[in-house]
Amino acid sequence: MAALRRFAKAGYYAIAPDLYQRQGDATKVSDFKALVTNIVGRTPDTAVMTNLDSTLAFVRHDGGNTTRAGITGFCWGGWTVWLYAAHHPMLKAGVAWYGRLTGAGTPLQPNKPIDLVAPISAPVSDLYDGLDKGTAVTDVDRMNGALKAADKPSSLTVFSQADHGLLADYRPSYNEAAAKERSTKALAWFERYL
């Protein structure tokens, strides 16, 4: 929630919907593989898109300005940023943090960001790290090439000094200097497009 507070302190209406709630309480699962298999893997992309649409509707009814809506997410949430940028035509900006870009789809999660470049309507900045084993630099290069070919104003950057989960100050992968740098870049992206 520190990331959420960071955006709120910068003046944004910041909200974090519980996209997993129908599959279980993710905060109660300590085993990462069980979390991915039993909760994340059972959460359909269609439900996530519907929940995010509902979140924007809530924000609008609560007085928030949804004409300047942005989205950010980490890991699976980074993947979700790309999917939502392709799903919601009124989205103004996205910042994805180390989300997968390729991979095998499943019946519940069939889409990959690399295959959704054409309908992406919002500029997305993606912050990848060279030490991250979850997303290959070659995948980042492929996505950058696809975005450029489609004339999309998105930007994927690979930093070499940090690993996956660099912002999670409760994990061994936490990297304070990298977290500050990436946070500054994320806020600058939103300032530019929102």
Side-chain angles (χ1 to χ4, degrees):
M1 287 300 157
L4 185 67
R5 284 190 293 277
R6 187 174 295 115
F7 288 105
K9 285 180 181 179
Y12 295 101
Y13 186 122
I15 187 169
D18 185 353
L19 301 174
Y20 305 111
Q21 64 170 322
R22 289 178 181 85
Q23 305 307 321
D25 186 350
T27 66
K28 305 287 188 218
V29 181
S30 59
D31 180 80
F32 182 75
K33 288 185 180 186
L35 175 69
V36 170
T37 301
N38 299 328
I39 295 184
V40 174
R42 293 183 182 167
T43 304
D45 286 342
T46 53
V48 172
M49 298 302 109
T50 299
N51 287 338
L52 291 171
D53 288 342
S54 297
T55 301
L56 279 182
F58 170 83
V59 169
R60 184 175 50 255
H61 292 300
D62 194 47
N65 182 358
T66 58
T67 65
R68 294 175 52 211
I71 184 172
T72 191
F74 305 85
C75 190
W76 179 75
W79 168 283
T80 301
V81 167
W82 287 106
L83 298 186
Y84 201 64
H87 166 80
H88 198 289
M90 301 304 290
L91 189 72
K92 295 299 182 197
V95 175
W97 300 68
Y98 34 84
R100 288 183 301 125
L101 298 167
T102 64
T106 69
L108 296 177
Q109 299 170 344
N111 300 305
K112 301 174 295 267
I114 192 80
D115 297 329
L116 297 174
V117 169
I120 290 173
S121 59
V124 177
S125 174
D126 212 325
L127 306 169
Y128 287 97
D129 293 287
L131 302 179
D132 187 346
K133 304 208 182 11
T135 303
V137 173
T138 54
D139 290 345
V140 175
D141 292 342
R142 282 181 55 210
M143 187 69 168
N144 265 329
L147 291 163
K148 185 175 181 179
D151 199 29
K152 301 291 179 175
S154 296
S155 170
L156 283 73
T157 305
V158 177
F159 301 90
S160 61
Q161 301 84 12
D163 200 348
H164 190 91
L166 69 99
L167 201 68
D169 60 5
Y170 53 91
R171 293 171 66 177
S173 59
Y174 176 64
N175 183 317
E176 184 177 6
K180 287 179 181 177
E181 179 188 20
R182 296 343 179 258
S183 295
T184 298
K185 289 185 181 299
L187 287 169
W189 188 263
F190 280 151
E191 186 175 321
R192 177 178 177 186
Y193 288 105
L194 299 181

PDB file of all heavy atoms in Angstrom, residues 30-50:
ATOM      1  N   SER A  30       0.797 -17.373   2.054  1.00  0.00           N
ATOM      2  CA  SER A  30       2.217 -17.020   2.164  1.00  0.00           C
ATOM      3  C   SER A  30       3.082 -17.710   1.112  1.00  0.00           C
ATOM      4  O   SER A  30       4.154 -17.225   0.778  1.00  0.00           O
ATOM      5  CB  SER A  30       2.743 -17.345   3.563  1.00  0.00           C
ATOM      6  OG  SER A  30       2.574 -18.716   3.830  1.00  0.00           O
ATOM      7  N   ASP A  31       2.613 -18.821   0.576  1.00  0.00           N
ATOM      8  CA  ASP A  31       3.374 -19.545  -0.434  1.00  0.00           C
ATOM      9  C   ASP A  31       3.104 -18.935  -1.807  1.00  0.00           C
ATOM     10  O   ASP A  31       1.971 -18.944  -2.289  1.00  0.00           O
ATOM     11  CB  ASP A  31       2.978 -21.028  -0.419  1.00  0.00           C
ATOM     12  CG  ASP A  31       3.735 -21.819  -1.459  1.00  0.00           C
ATOM     13  OD1 ASP A  31       4.900 -22.176  -1.200  1.00  0.00           O
ATOM     14  OD2 ASP A  31       3.164 -22.072  -2.546  1.00  0.00           O
ATOM     15  N   PHE A  32       4.166 -18.416  -2.444  1.00  0.00           N
ATOM     16  CA  PHE A  32       4.020 -17.715  -3.716  1.00  0.00           C
ATOM     17  C   PHE A  32       3.414 -18.598  -4.805  1.00  0.00           C
ATOM     18  O   PHE A  32       2.542 -18.170  -5.549  1.00  0.00           O
ATOM     19  CB  PHE A  32       5.367 -17.153  -4.167  1.00  0.00           C
ATOM     20  CG  PHE A  32       5.285 -16.386  -5.451  1.00  0.00           C
ATOM     21  CD1 PHE A  32       4.731 -15.118  -5.470  1.00  0.00           C
ATOM     22  CD2 PHE A  32       5.739 -16.939  -6.639  1.00  0.00           C
ATOM     23  CE1 PHE A  32       4.637 -14.404  -6.658  1.00  0.00           C
ATOM     24  CE2 PHE A  32       5.644 -16.241  -7.824  1.00  0.00           C
ATOM     25  CZ  PHE A  32       5.094 -14.961  -7.836  1.00  0.00           C
ATOM     26  N   LYS A  33       3.886 -19.837  -4.919  1.00  0.00           N
ATOM     27  CA  LYS A  33       3.359 -20.735  -5.958  1.00  0.00           C
ATOM     28  C   LYS A  33       1.875 -21.015  -5.744  1.00  0.00           C
ATOM     29  O   LYS A  33       1.100 -21.070  -6.697  1.00  0.00           O
ATOM     30  CB  LYS A  33       4.161 -22.028  -6.013  1.00  0.00           C
ATOM     31  CG  LYS A  33       5.536 -21.836  -6.609  1.00  0.00           C
ATOM     32  CD  LYS A  33       6.270 -23.141  -6.773  1.00  0.00           C
ATOM     33  CE  LYS A  33       7.639 -22.861  -7.381  1.00  0.00           C
ATOM     34  NZ  LYS A  33       8.352 -24.063  -7.698  1.00  0.00           N
ATOM     35  N   ALA A  34       1.469 -21.192  -4.496  1.00  0.00           N
ATOM     36  CA  ALA A  34       0.053 -21.412  -4.201  1.00  0.00           C
ATOM     37  C   ALA A  34      -0.764 -20.168  -4.545  1.00  0.00           C
ATOM     38  O   ALA A  34      -1.879 -20.270  -5.067  1.00  0.00           O
ATOM     39  CB  ALA A  34      -0.133 -21.773  -2.727  1.00  0.00           C
ATOM     40  N   LEU A  35      -0.213 -18.998  -4.283  1.00  0.00           N
ATOM     41  CA  LEU A  35      -0.895 -17.749  -4.606  1.00  0.00           C
ATOM     42  C   LEU A  35      -1.140 -17.648  -6.109  1.00  0.00           C
ATOM     43  O   LEU A  35      -2.248 -17.375  -6.558  1.00  0.00           O
ATOM     44  CB  LEU A  35      -0.060 -16.555  -4.120  1.00  0.00           C
ATOM     45  CG  LEU A  35      -0.582 -15.179  -4.483  1.00  0.00           C
ATOM     46  CD1 LEU A  35      -1.855 -14.870  -3.719  1.00  0.00           C
ATOM     47  CD2 LEU A  35       0.477 -14.124  -4.209  1.00  0.00           C
ATOM     48  N   VAL A  36      -0.095 -17.919  -6.882  1.00  0.00           N
ATOM     49  CA  VAL A  36      -0.211 -17.832  -8.342  1.00  0.00           C
ATOM     50  C   VAL A  36      -1.178 -18.884  -8.877  1.00  0.00           C
ATOM     51  O   VAL A  36      -2.032 -18.595  -9.716  1.00  0.00           O
ATOM     52  CB  VAL A  36       1.182 -17.967  -9.001  1.00  0.00           C
ATOM     53  CG1 VAL A  36       1.062 -18.127 -10.511  1.00  0.00           C
ATOM     54  CG2 VAL A  36       2.037 -16.758  -8.658  1.00  0.00           C
ATOM     55  N   THR A  37      -1.074 -20.112  -8.378  1.00  0.00           N
ATOM     56  CA  THR A  37      -1.905 -21.204  -8.879  1.00  0.00           C
ATOM     57  C   THR A  37      -3.361 -21.079  -8.436  1.00  0.00           C
ATOM     58  O   THR A  37      -4.279 -21.196  -9.250  1.00  0.00           O
ATOM     59  CB  THR A  37      -1.348 -22.564  -8.412  1.00  0.00           C
ATOM     60  OG1 THR A  37      -0.017 -22.688  -8.905  1.00  0.00           O
ATOM     61  CG2 THR A  37      -2.191 -23.714  -8.920  1.00  0.00           C
ATOM     62  N   ASN A  38      -3.578 -20.846  -7.165  1.00  0.00           N
ATOM     63  CA  ASN A  38      -4.925 -20.933  -6.605  1.00  0.00           C
ATOM     64  C   ASN A  38      -5.724 -19.637  -6.628  1.00  0.00           C
ATOM     65  O   ASN A  38      -6.947 -19.678  -6.517  1.00  0.00           O
ATOM     66  CB  ASN A  38      -4.853 -21.441  -5.164  1.00  0.00           C
ATOM     67  CG  ASN A  38      -4.243 -22.826  -5.100  1.00  0.00           C
ATOM     68  OD1 ASN A  38      -4.399 -23.638  -6.004  1.00  0.00           O
ATOM     69  ND2 ASN A  38      -3.503 -23.088  -4.032  1.00  0.00           N
ATOM     70  N   ILE A  39      -5.041 -18.508  -6.745  1.00  0.00           N
ATOM     71  CA  ILE A  39      -5.781 -17.244  -6.741  1.00  0.00           C
ATOM     72  C   ILE A  39      -5.568 -16.483  -8.049  1.00  0.00           C
ATOM     73  O   ILE A  39      -6.508 -16.250  -8.793  1.00  0.00           O
ATOM     74  CB  ILE A  39      -5.416 -16.390  -5.508  1.00  0.00           C
ATOM     75  CG1 ILE A  39      -5.888 -17.128  -4.243  1.00  0.00           C
ATOM     76  CG2 ILE A  39      -6.053 -15.010  -5.599  1.00  0.00           C
ATOM     77  CD1 ILE A  39      -5.690 -16.398  -2.953  1.00  0.00           C
ATOM     78  N   VAL A  40      -4.334 -16.125  -8.357  1.00  0.00           N
ATOM     79  CA  VAL A  40      -4.070 -15.355  -9.569  1.00  0.00           C
ATOM     80  C   VAL A  40      -4.470 -16.152 -10.812  1.00  0.00           C
ATOM     81  O   VAL A  40      -5.168 -15.643 -11.694  1.00  0.00           O
ATOM     82  CB  VAL A  40      -2.587 -14.928  -9.639  1.00  0.00           C
ATOM     83  CG1 VAL A  40      -2.280 -14.247 -10.964  1.00  0.00           C
ATOM     84  CG2 VAL A  40      -2.242 -14.021  -8.475  1.00  0.00           C
ATOM     85  N   GLY A  41      -4.061 -17.404 -10.890  1.00  0.00           N
ATOM     86  CA  GLY A  41      -4.355 -18.234 -12.062  1.00  0.00           C
ATOM     87  C   GLY A  41      -5.827 -18.551 -12.266  1.00  0.00           C
ATOM     88  O   GLY A  41      -6.238 -18.922 -13.356  1.00  0.00           O
ATOM     89  N   ARG A  42      -6.614 -18.377 -11.245  1.00  0.00           N
ATOM     90  CA  ARG A  42      -8.060 -18.635 -11.347  1.00  0.00           C
ATOM     91  C   ARG A  42      -8.874 -17.361 -11.498  1.00  0.00           C
ATOM     92  O   ARG A  42     -10.107 -17.403 -11.443  1.00  0.00           O
ATOM     93  CB  ARG A  42      -8.527 -19.404 -10.112  1.00  0.00           C
ATOM     94  CG  ARG A  42      -7.954 -20.799 -10.063  1.00  0.00           C
ATOM     95  CD  ARG A  42      -8.474 -21.571  -8.895  1.00  0.00           C
ATOM     96  NE  ARG A  42      -7.860 -22.895  -8.856  1.00  0.00           N
ATOM     97  CZ  ARG A  42      -7.929 -23.707  -7.836  1.00  0.00           C
ATOM     98  NH1 ARG A  42      -8.597 -23.357  -6.746  1.00  0.00           N
ATOM     99  NH2 ARG A  42      -7.340 -24.878  -7.880  1.00  0.00           N
ATOM    100  N   THR A  43      -8.199 -16.245 -11.669  1.00  0.00           N
ATOM    101  CA  THR A  43      -8.885 -14.964 -11.839  1.00  0.00           C
ATOM    102  C   THR A  43      -8.945 -14.646 -13.334  1.00  0.00           C
ATOM    103  O   THR A  43      -7.921 -14.329 -13.942  1.00  0.00           O
ATOM    104  CB  THR A  43      -8.135 -13.848 -11.078  1.00  0.00           C
ATOM    105  OG1 THR A  43      -8.026 -14.234  -9.703  1.00  0.00           O
ATOM    106  CG2 THR A  43      -8.875 -12.535 -11.174  1.00  0.00           C
ATOM    107  N   PRO A  44     -10.124 -14.719 -13.940  1.00  0.00           N
ATOM    108  CA  PRO A  44     -10.232 -14.492 -15.391  1.00  0.00           C
ATOM    109  C   PRO A  44      -9.943 -13.041 -15.771  1.00  0.00           C
ATOM    110  O   PRO A  44     -10.333 -12.109 -15.057  1.00  0.00           O
ATOM    111  CB  PRO A  44     -11.690 -14.833 -15.709  1.00  0.00           C
ATOM    112  CG  PRO A  44     -12.241 -15.488 -14.497  1.00  0.00           C
ATOM    113  CD  PRO A  44     -11.402 -15.086 -13.337  1.00  0.00           C
ATOM    114  N   ASP A  45      -9.284 -12.864 -16.913  1.00  0.00           N
ATOM    115  CA  ASP A  45      -9.039 -11.515 -17.420  1.00  0.00           C
ATOM    116  C   ASP A  45     -10.338 -10.738 -17.581  1.00  0.00           C
ATOM    117  O   ASP A  45     -10.378  -9.535 -17.304  1.00  0.00           O
ATOM    118  CB  ASP A  45      -8.328 -11.575 -18.781  1.00  0.00           C
ATOM    119  CG  ASP A  45      -6.868 -11.971 -18.675  1.00  0.00           C
ATOM    120  OD1 ASP A  45      -6.297 -11.881 -17.570  1.00  0.00           O
ATOM    121  OD2 ASP A  45      -6.290 -12.361 -19.714  1.00  0.00           O
ATOM    122  N   THR A  46     -11.387 -11.403 -18.024  1.00  0.00           N
ATOM    123  CA  THR A  46     -12.666 -10.704 -18.218  1.00  0.00           C
ATOM    124  C   THR A  46     -13.186 -10.135 -16.903  1.00  0.00           C
ATOM    125  O   THR A  46     -13.715  -9.024 -16.862  1.00  0.00           O
ATOM    126  CB  THR A  46     -13.721 -11.634 -18.839  1.00  0.00           C
ATOM    127  OG1 THR A  46     -13.820 -12.829 -18.039  1.00  0.00           O
ATOM    128  CG2 THR A  46     -13.363 -12.003 -20.266  1.00  0.00           C
ATOM    129  N   ALA A  47     -13.022 -10.878 -15.814  1.00  0.00           N
ATOM    130  CA  ALA A  47     -13.454 -10.388 -14.504  1.00  0.00           C
ATOM    131  C   ALA A  47     -12.601  -9.203 -14.062  1.00  0.00           C
ATOM    132  O   ALA A  47     -13.115  -8.235 -13.489  1.00  0.00           O
ATOM    133  CB  ALA A  47     -13.385 -11.507 -13.469  1.00  0.00           C
ATOM    134  N   VAL A  48     -11.313  -9.265 -14.336  1.00  0.00           N
ATOM    135  CA  VAL A  48     -10.420  -8.159 -13.970  1.00  0.00           C
ATOM    136  C   VAL A  48     -10.825  -6.892 -14.728  1.00  0.00           C
ATOM    137  O   VAL A  48     -10.926  -5.809 -14.140  1.00  0.00           O
ATOM    138  CB  VAL A  48      -8.945  -8.525 -14.242  1.00  0.00           C
ATOM    139  CG1 VAL A  48      -8.033  -7.320 -14.063  1.00  0.00           C
ATOM    140  CG2 VAL A  48      -8.520  -9.658 -13.326  1.00  0.00           C
ATOM    141  N   MET A  49     -11.083  -7.006 -16.026  1.00  0.00           N
ATOM    142  CA  MET A  49     -11.474  -5.832 -16.809  1.00  0.00           C
ATOM    143  C   MET A  49     -12.799  -5.258 -16.299  1.00  0.00           C
ATOM    144  O   MET A  49     -12.949  -4.041 -16.152  1.00  0.00           O
ATOM    145  CB  MET A  49     -11.589  -6.180 -18.299  1.00  0.00           C
ATOM    146  CG  MET A  49     -10.291  -6.659 -18.952  1.00  0.00           C
ATOM    147  SD  MET A  49      -8.897  -5.503 -18.860  1.00  0.00           S
ATOM    148  CE  MET A  49      -7.836  -6.349 -17.684  1.00  0.00           C
ATOM    149  N   THR A  50     -13.738  -6.133 -15.988  1.00  0.00           N
ATOM    150  CA  THR A  50     -15.034  -5.686 -15.448  1.00  0.00           C
ATOM    151  C   THR A  50     -14.848  -5.004 -14.103  1.00  0.00           C
ATOM    152  O   THR A  50     -15.452  -3.959 -13.828  1.00  0.00           O
ATOM    153  CB  THR A  50     -15.997  -6.883 -15.314  1.00  0.00           C
ATOM    154  OG1 THR A  50     -16.205  -7.441 -16.620  1.00  0.00           O
ATOM    155  CG2 THR A  50     -17.326  -6.461 -14.732  1.00  0.00           C
TER     156      THR A  50
END
